[in-house]
Amino acid sequence: MIKKVTTLILAIFTSAVTFAQIKTISGKVIDQESGLALPGATIIKDKGNVSSAADGTFLIKAKTGERLTVSYTGFVTKEVVVGSNLNLLIGLTEDPKSLSEVVVTGALGIKRSARELGSSAQLFSNESLNQGKTVNPLFGLSSKVAGLRINMYDSKVDPVAQITLRGTRSLSRSTGIDGRNTNAPIYVVDGMPVPNINRLNPNDIESITVLKGANAAALYGSEGVNGALMITTKNGVRGSNVVNVSNTTTFSNAFLLPNAQTTFGQGVNGVYDPVQYASWGPKFDGSMKDIGLPLPDGTQPQLLYAAPGKDNRLGLFQTGVNVQNDVSFSGGDQNSTYFLSAQYVTQTGIIPKDKNDRIGLRFNGSRNFNKLKTSYNINYIHNKKSITPDGPWIGAYSMPANLDFSRLKNWEDVNSMASPHNYFTPETGNLRNPYFQIDNIRDNSTQQILNGKIDLDYEFTPWFSALYRIGIYSISDEIRTSTNKFEAAGTRNVQGSVNDANNNYRRLNSDLILNFKKEFGDFTTKLLLGQNTRTDYKKENNISANNLLYTDLLNPGSRQGELGGAVAITQQRSMAVYGEFVAGYKNYLFLTFTGRNDWVSTLSKENRSFFYPGVSTSFIASDAIQSIKNSNTISFAKVYASWNRTGNVTLQPYSLENAYTQSNGFPFGNSVGYLPSLSVTAPGIQPEFVSSYEAGIQFGLFNNRLNFDGAYVYSDSDGQIFNSTASRATGYNVKVINAGRLVNNIFELSLNGDIIRSNDVKWNMGINFTYIKNTVKDLSEGLTNINNFRQSYAVKGEQYPSLLVSDYAKDPQGRVIIDANGEPMKAQGTTNLGSLIPPYLMGLSTGVSYKGFSLNAQLDWRMGGWLYSEIVPRMYSAGTHPATVQYDRQPFVWPNSVIETAPGVYVENTNRLSKGDQAFWTKQGEIQINTAAKSDFLKLRELSLNYAVPAKFLAGQKVIRQASLGLVANNVFIIRHKDNDMGDPEYLYNNTDGYISFRQVPPMRTFGFNVNLTF
């Protein structure tokens, strides 16, 4: 009997052990309908989770009888019980309501169902954002969002971006105390507004929600008038500990240099001159010619006087190398989560010795204490940069085509032609040896950013909770701008200078938010009440010396003359109360009311308080209308509309004060005196007010296989804050007033769908289109236009900004009028060519996946704008522009020209010749229409190829969970308008669209690879 009992107990124990045995389960998650793999699906068990690889495969350890929960965005979640089968094929069915259940990050960082929103919003995942593996996360959004336009300033290492959403709303060109452009959207990271996200680690970002309308971002006040980028950073996942390691290495090269002639070399009036930089000498003949004067050792440098086989100017640039190394740790338990990341970025620019290094550290955490939920994060960034501001490209386009730049590197050798003592041309400034400029003119900066916040969210009852959020954003910049002293005779002498500056900025922001929610039968209600307090503080100081004593000592104390310098302390405060009420009926009809009142310290006491309201609605027709609900074609249909009026304060702090500045030598000698500002602000100045209207439709077809979003937007910005001219009799040149009106008419269309869905192949394509008509309706009384910057103007009744240029005088048939000397005549006044901002924008994205392989591309198309280049007039004068050799530098008849024989009488010009020499072409460079061109372009912005290693290849080890390899390229090619050989139309200068400066670095294209490992 005892033996039988023992045997029974042993059998039960053995069965229990077998039942509880942990197994390694391999599986694959697919679309049940198409059989297509679902990469990134989440497989959750009681104490952990994994994600499927790019081919849908996964490995997980589980016990027999344990439940696995499998989920994927847009699909119905499925549970699977672990049995004896160790190879699972899990098919998920698409949720027909998935489009309506999308959750976005709304204003104040609060998660909201997209179906409630009465304005357009677009959600971007980390995968979509990082397709091009850019260092700056803003560039990852380029051409992917209807209505969003991103421009780059140039190709210097660590380039800066300008971003506008749905056009320009303010004529003001100033930046706020935080350095943010007045027409930029607000950036919100985990609920906290920050000045910029240029240095934010893209790999830390979980998602970005683009709130396009002022209505969606109205709770943020003035800063929300231009829309919002809501950034959510990553958090740990409860029950799972994951380590991710990645490397991205890319290589950049300069391209799209402006075309240059290769027929004539250096000299004057057709005669060779060894010390002349301009290319007005004889034709290249293949001979050896002297260049410059004899060297101190008596030798005479010579150079082959022949057209080069390749563009010698490319020799000025090197291959830039960009390396991103990332590591992150994440995990959590039932009550807390954590995410810790570190990034090291090192960049060398396409200009020699330009470099940028960045270290980023982030810690995100959360902890629940019964009804109290807490979350907190801190982000530290250390960025160190060194660039040459004005070389080597700044004068290269003026140099002869046969100049061998490699012979200019050894400038420190006194017996070299590269030495400033012996440089072939004595011209100063921009025409110095470019390598001398690289080594001696430097901008060095060290920037430290500290950003952190704490959320305390307490649930008092199921229908009432309170959130308190406080955060700080701090930037410390140490900047040194210097020019090394070089002692030489005459114009070759370089006066040494140094300017040391420290700029510190700090923002303290806090919100108290009360949330109420109640259901009344078919009705749901949500009420949000909030209060915001914000303080911005900035201190800038610098000390400078412009006549240093020593060639190897950059110290303001070692100088002749007086020190220069200044200190500026600026503070701005604002307070606000705001509210939002959302009413829903049967989850398909929503009505939202918003309101906010601000108190801003930059305005007078009488005007600093202002209120602005908003209302929006959305209607989910696919849930409300039975015929649509039962349709096999329409999966989702929504219409929405909104109206909003937002105050916008672009006035600088202390603008109401009549500040005085000290002037040395006033009124005589060393007497100390003060001068009043030449600008005065109207004491009763008020905010600009922007009224916005939006209406749109969104629908999904064929089980959301094809999705469409279309919107029309109208905004009216009245009472613009800008500088108006004042009578000098008042003692002022400029008066800052409320005047002017700017109107936007915008159409946005987005279409996305799967062209192929099969067992192994998926091909998705998306297209977005934007048309923006930005019109200046009114300016200050008596003004028809105001100048923004050089050729950029705001012109009453025209699109903003307009390109106004000088033109040739023409007869009624459009023929150029020639004067008695054979010179084309210059017209009186200016010609408005059109908008410097392209009104037509289109982005095209496509992605193909086959098993573990995926290929993605992003194209950017912009049409209808103009650009202006400062480089062209300089090339005309230097004789390097192709136009200067069009007639072999012989006198010629100007094409399609006429002679005025009597007032209003014109005859065809057949014999009056234009000279075609240096003086002639220099004068043509002053006719600005010669330096303008259409800015139309089509660009392959991003191209990436990735391969995810299947889980079965990783099954033999227990360390690496997932692995992927990839190739990436940016700015692969560009197709420009036939008249544009000046550069990349996307570039801008001095916050001016469509303006190419001679100081800018030419564009670059980038190729590289990346490796990702998950442990």
Side-chain angles (χ1 to χ4, degrees):
M1 182 67 179
I2 295 175
K3 185 177 180 179
K4 291 182 179 180
V5 173
T6 303
T7 302
L8 180 59
I9 293 173
L10 184 61
I12 295 172
F13 177 76
T14 303
S15 299
V17 171
T18 302
F19 184 82
Q21 184 178 4
I22 297 176
K23 305 174 182 180
T24 299
I25 308 297
S26 64
K28 184 174 183 179
V29 184
I30 62 171
D31 180 344
Q32 183 70 47
E33 180 183 349
S34 65
L36 193 67
L38 298 179
T42 303
I43 301 92
I44 304 173
K45 61 175 186 173
D46 290 341
K47 295 183 178 180
N49 72 320
V50 297
S51 297
S52 62
D55 61 352
T57 59
F58 67 90
L59 289 174
I60 192 169
K61 292 184 177 181
K63 301 175 184 178
T64 302
E66 191 170 4
R67 291 181 179 273
L68 303 180
T69 303
V70 185
S71 62
Y72 189 79
T73 302
F75 287 75
V76 178
T77 300
K78 187 174 186 178
E79 284 192 350
V80 178
V81 179
V82 176
S84 59
N85 187 3
L86 302 182
N87 294 290
L88 302 177
L89 183 64
I90 304 172
L92 301 183
T93 57
E94 193 165 6
D95 185 353
K97 297 183 181 296
S98 60
L99 191 62
S100 66
E101 301 306 327
V102 171
V103 175
V104 298
T105 302
L108 307 172
I110 297 173
K111 300 292 185 182
R112 294 186 58 179
S113 173
R115 63 167 49 217
E116 296 180 5
L117 296 181
S119 57
S120 181
Q122 193 164 347
L123 179 66
F124 280 90
S125 65
N126 176 272
E127 182 181 11
S128 176
L129 179 69
N130 286 320
Q131 181 176 297
K133 300 296 181 183
T134 58
V135 176
N136 186 332
L138 285 175
F139 293 128
L141 292 173
S142 292
S143 72
K144 296 176 182 177
V145 184
L148 182 69
R149 181 172 53 86
I150 296 176
N151 291 79
M152 186 184 293
Y153 279 84
D154 64 15
S155 293
K156 286 191 176 80
V157 65
D158 186 37
V160 178
Q162 181 210 65
I163 179 170
T164 55
L165 188 55
R166 289 183 168 174
T168 303
R169 290 170 184 80
S170 177
L171 294 173
S172 173
R173 291 175 51 83
S174 62
T175 57
I177 185 175
D178 57 4
R180 194 177 65 93
N181 188 293
T182 54
N183 283 293
I186 186 174
Y187 309 112
V188 183
V189 180
D190 295 324
M192 289 298 302
V194 299
N196 67 71
I197 58 169
N198 289 334
R199 305 206 189 284
L200 186 63
N201 180 2
N203 296 296
D204 285 349
I205 297 174
E206 179 70 31
S207 65
I208 295 181
T209 300
V210 181
L211 301 178
K212 299 181 184 180
N215 185 277
L219 298 183
Y220 282 113
S222 292
E223 289 186 319
V225 72
N226 300 308
L229 266 61
M230 309 297 299
I231 298 97
T232 301
T233 60
K234 293 179 178 179
N235 289 300
V237 178
R238 289 177 171 83
S240 175
N241 296 301
V242 177
V243 179
N244 281 299
V245 178
S246 67
N247 168 271
T248 299
T249 302
T250 58
F251 307 91
S252 302
N253 290 288
F255 80 126
L256 288 188
L257 276 62
N259 293 338
Q261 62 89 8
T262 56
T263 306
F264 292 85
Q266 68 192 87
V268 180
N269 296 325
V271 179
Y272 183 79
D273 186 340
V275 297
Q276 172 61 250
Y277 78 91
S279 296
W280 292 102
K283 288 185 177 180
F284 289 122
D285 57 12
S287 65
M288 296 297 296
K289 290 188 181 295
D290 295 346
I291 181 168
L293 298 175
L295 302 177
D297 61 5
T299 60
Q300 173 63 58
Q302 288 194 323
L303 199 63
L304 179 64
Y305 196 68
K310 62 177 183 179
D311 192 340
N312 279 348
R313 298 173 300 174
L314 288 171
L316 282 168
F317 303 98
Q318 65 179 11
T319 297
V321 181
N322 310 283
V323 181
Q324 300 179 61
N325 291 304
D326 287 87
V327 60
S328 67
F329 306 85
S330 63
D333 55 27
Q334 294 300 314
N335 294 314
S336 62
T337 64
Y338 70 90
F339 175 82
L340 174 65
S341 74
Q343 182 187 57
Y344 176 60
V345 177
T346 178
Q347 300 170 276
T348 57
I350 58 176
I351 295 179
K353 298 192 177 181
D354 280 10
K355 60 182 181 179
N356 187 75
D357 293 325
R358 188 173 81 200
I359 297 173
L361 301 172
R362 171 175 290 277
F363 181 76
N364 292 356
S366 69
R367 180 75 177 177
N368 294 343
F369 302 92
N370 295 322
K371 292 186 176 184
L372 176 64
K373 297 179 181 179
T374 67
S375 63
Y376 40 88
N377 62 45
I378 187 167
N379 185 207
Y380 172 75
I381 300 169
H382 183 279
N383 197 89
K384 190 172 184 179
K385 180 165 64 176
S386 178
I387 63 172
T388 178
D390 288 339
W393 175 243
I394 193 168
Y397 45 79
S398 298
M399 293 299 175
N402 67 317
L403 182 63
D404 183 359
F405 287 97
S406 65
R407 296 180 61 177
L408 305 181
K409 293 181 179 181
N410 192 21
W411 64 268
E412 293 179 286
D413 183 355
V414 295
N415 286 310
S416 166
M417 67 169 284
S419 170
H421 292 294
N422 315 317
Y423 194 52
F424 78 97
T425 179
E427 300 289 343
T428 60
N430 301 332
L431 297 173
R432 288 193 174 99
N433 182 340
Y435 293 99
F436 174 82
Q437 292 176 308
I438 288 172
D439 288 340
N440 291 278
I441 305 176
R442 306 297 303 176
D443 284 354
N444 297 304
S445 65
T446 299
Q447 184 181 76
Q448 298 183 80
I449 301 175
L450 184 64
N451 183 24
K453 65 101 180 185
I454 297 175
D455 280 7
L456 302 174
D457 191 352
Y458 191 83
E459 185 181 284
F460 290 92
T461 69
W463 54 269
F464 169 55
S465 65
L467 169 67
Y468 180 70
R469 175 184 294 143
I470 187 168
I472 188 170
Y473 185 94
S474 174
I475 302 178
S476 174
D477 268 327
E478 296 178 17
I479 302 169
R480 164 165 282 199
T481 302
S482 61
T483 300
N484 287 83
K485 179 181 176 66
F486 187 86
E487 295 180 319
T491 60
R492 299 176 188 268
N493 183 70
V494 178
Q495 204 171 30
S497 65
V498 63
N499 181 41
D500 285 318
N502 285 277
N503 299 330
N504 295 280
Y505 168 79
R506 182 174 65 250
R507 172 188 291 179
L508 186 65
N509 189 92
S510 69
D511 284 278
L512 176 62
I513 303 170
L514 306 180
N515 286 291
F516 304 85
K517 57 182 179 179
K518 269 290 189 180
E519 294 185 7
F520 304 93
D522 291 334
F523 293 90
T524 59
T525 59
K526 297 178 184 178
L527 176 63
L528 179 151
L529 299 175
Q531 186 272 334
N532 174 262
T533 302
R534 174 173 149 185
T535 300
D536 292 76
Y537 173 86
K538 182 169 66 174
K539 182 178 181 180
E540 302 170 293
N541 60 78
N542 76 292
I543 186 170
S544 63
N546 293 320
N547 195 356
L548 299 182
L549 297 175
Y550 305 105
T551 59
D552 57 351
L553 183 60
L554 292 171
N555 189 328
S558 302
R559 72 186 189 283
Q560 288 182 336
E562 295 296 323
L563 281 172
V567 176
I569 297 176
T570 310
Q571 190 168 6
Q572 178 178 311
R573 298 192 67 197
S574 65
M575 297 186 69
V577 292
Y578 49 83
E580 179 183 68
F581 177 73
V582 182
Y585 175 71
K586 290 188 176 181
N587 204 33
Y588 63 67
L589 179 62
F590 300 91
L591 187 63
T592 302
F593 297 92
T594 60
R596 177 172 170 130
N597 198 97
D598 282 350
W599 291 264
V600 180
S601 65
T602 54
L603 299 175
S604 66
K605 291 182 179 180
E606 295 76 19
N607 296 306
R608 66 179 46 161
S609 173
F610 51 98
F611 174 78
Y612 38 95
V615 62
S616 66
T617 184
S618 69
F619 175 63
I620 314 301
S622 53
D623 286 354
I625 302 174
Q626 199 66 27
S627 59
I628 299 178
K629 188 175 183 178
N630 297 330
S631 170
N632 293 325
T633 303
I634 303 175
S635 311
F636 176 73
K638 169 186 172 181
V639 292
Y640 57 89
S642 66
W643 171 84
N644 174 262
R645 187 171 186 263
T646 306
N648 188 22
V649 180
T650 61
L651 195 67
Q652 296 295 303
Y654 315 124
S655 294
L656 297 178
E657 306 295 332
N658 189 357
Y660 282 68
T661 56
Q662 184 176 347
S663 176
N664 292 327
F666 173 91
F668 313 109
N670 294 322
S671 299
V672 176
Y674 294 87
L675 294 174
S677 171
L678 295 178
S679 174
V680 63
T681 300
I685 198 165
Q686 299 180 8
E688 305 173 353
F689 280 96
V690 182
S691 297
S692 300
Y693 304 84
E694 179 177 359
I697 183 171
Q698 184 182 44
F699 58 80
L701 304 177
F702 315 115
N703 264 353
N704 290 318
R705 184 167 176 171
L706 181 66
N707 298 307
F708 172 83
D709 194 346
Y712 168 72
V713 184
Y714 174 85
S715 70
D716 189 339
S717 307
D718 202 6
Q720 294 280 314
I721 298 176
F722 74 99
N723 297 338
S724 176
T725 56
S727 169
R728 292 180 181 269
T730 64
Y732 302 100
N733 294 337
V734 174
K735 187 174 184 179
V736 183
I737 59 173
N738 288 115
R741 183 177 165 215
L742 198 60
V743 169
N744 277 345
N745 283 276
I746 304 166
F747 292 91
E748 296 175 351
L749 303 173
S750 297
L751 186 66
N752 181 280
D754 292 335
I755 298 175
I756 298 177
R757 276 187 184 179
S758 67
N759 190 38
D760 293 320
V761 180
K762 180 179 179 180
W763 179 17
N764 175 271
M765 183 171 287
I767 186 170
N768 65 78
F769 172 81
T770 308
Y771 171 72
I772 300 178
K773 187 176 182 181
N774 210 176
T775 308
V776 179
K777 287 294 185 180
D778 197 12
L779 293 171
S780 178
E781 184 178 353
L783 287 180
T784 58
N785 65 71
I786 57 173
N787 181 247
N788 298 319
F789 177 74
R790 296 180 183 166
Q791 285 72 40
S792 176
Y793 285 81
V795 181
K796 185 176 179 179
E798 302 292 339
Q799 291 198 61
Y800 178 84
S802 294
L803 175 60
L804 268 59
V805 296
S806 56
D807 198 352
Y808 292 105
K810 299 176 182 179
D811 72 352
Q813 298 181 39
R815 297 175 295 181
V816 175
I817 303 172
I818 302 297
D819 66 13
N821 298 316
E823 296 277 353
M825 297 179 63
K826 184 178 180 180
Q828 297 293 321
T830 57
T831 297
N832 187 349
L833 294 180
S835 174
L836 282 160
I837 296 176
Y840 300 96
L841 311 175
M842 186 170 70
L844 177 65
S845 60
T846 184
V848 179
S849 60
Y850 173 72
K851 295 185 177 180
F853 291 92
S854 61
L855 177 66
N856 295 282
Q858 182 71 36
L859 288 96
D860 190 353
W861 175 85
R862 306 183 190 184
M863 291 282 288
W866 285 84
L867 64 83
Y868 181 88
S869 173
E870 287 183 337
I871 295 176
V872 175
R874 292 167 179 265
M875 294 183 71
Y876 272 19
S877 179
T880 57
H881 196 278
T884 64
V885 301
Q886 189 173 356
Y887 299 96
D888 204 33
R889 297 200 168 162
Q890 299 300 314
F892 66 97
V893 174
W894 189 271
N896 195 31
S897 60
V898 296
I899 300 170
E900 188 174 18
T901 57
V905 179
Y906 304 94
V907 297
E908 183 182 357
N909 176 29
T910 58
N911 55 12
R912 194 169 289 182
L913 301 180
S914 300
K915 293 181 180 180
D917 57 6
Q918 182 176 9
F920 173 83
W921 283 108
T922 298
K923 191 171 183 179
Q924 303 319 302
E926 297 170 359
I927 308 296
Q928 296 165 345
I929 199 167
N930 291 321
T931 68
K934 281 281 191 178
S935 62
D936 305 342
F937 73 83
L938 173 66
K939 176 183 294 188
L940 178 55
R941 185 173 293 281
E942 295 177 350
L943 184 65
S944 64
L945 175 64
N946 290 282
Y947 174 68
V949 179
K952 63 182 180 181
F953 293 157
L954 304 174
Q957 47 79 51
K958 300 181 180 180
V959 179
I960 301 175
R961 297 186 187 181
Q962 297 178 19
S964 65
L965 308 170
L967 300 174
V968 66
N970 290 284
N971 231 21
V972 183
F973 71 77
I974 182 173
I975 300 173
R976 299 173 291 176
H977 191 275
K978 62 181 180 61
D979 294 334
N980 173 24
D981 66 350
M982 305 171 188
D984 191 335
E986 181 186 336
Y987 280 13
L988 50 81
Y989 178 71
N990 193 34
N991 197 28
T992 302
D993 297 270
Y995 197 92
I996 298 177
S997 169
F998 67 93
R999 298 180 180 275
Q1000 287 174 295
V1001 180
M1004 60 182 174
R1005 57 162 57 103
T1006 302
F1007 301 90
F1009 62 88
N1010 59 83
V1011 180
N1012 298 275
L1013 300 173
T1014 301
F1015 301 93

